[in-house]
Amino acid sequence: MSLARTRMVEELIDNRLVHQAEQIYALMDCARRAADAQQFSAAVGAHRVIAEIAGMLRAPAKPYAERP
């Protein structure tokens, strides 16, 4: 189990951009399906995670002190 975990981590490190692209593609599909089902909060959440993965968003949208 430990060997498998180590190999998985090595593969993620070696193929980081490929892994990120796969995750973004899957999240885009989730966001589209959520929007089609009028689940706009879920669609926005998926887009926010996409922005975090892509490095476009580094901090929470609102500071924690301002959240209800």
Side-chain angles (χ1 to χ4, degrees):
M1 193 68 140
S2 179
L3 179 60
R5 186 177 301 122
T6 302
R7 286 184 182 172
M8 183 179 72
V9 169
E10 288 174 2
E11 182 179 322
L12 287 174
I13 291 170
D14 291 342
N15 299 323
R16 184 177 180 153
L17 292 177
V18 172
H19 181 69
Q20 285 178 333
E22 290 171 349
Q23 297 307 311
I24 288 172
Y25 182 79
L27 281 165
M28 288 296 288
D29 187 50
C30 289
R32 181 187 54 78
R33 290 179 184 209
D36 289 346
Q38 296 187 357
Q39 299 289 326
F40 300 114
S41 180
V44 169
H47 283 290
R48 186 174 191 288
V49 174
I50 290 168
E52 289 175 359
I53 291 172
M56 294 184 285
L57 185 62
R58 293 284 183 206
K62 288 183 179 180
Y64 287 107
E66 293 180 16
R67 293 184 181 187

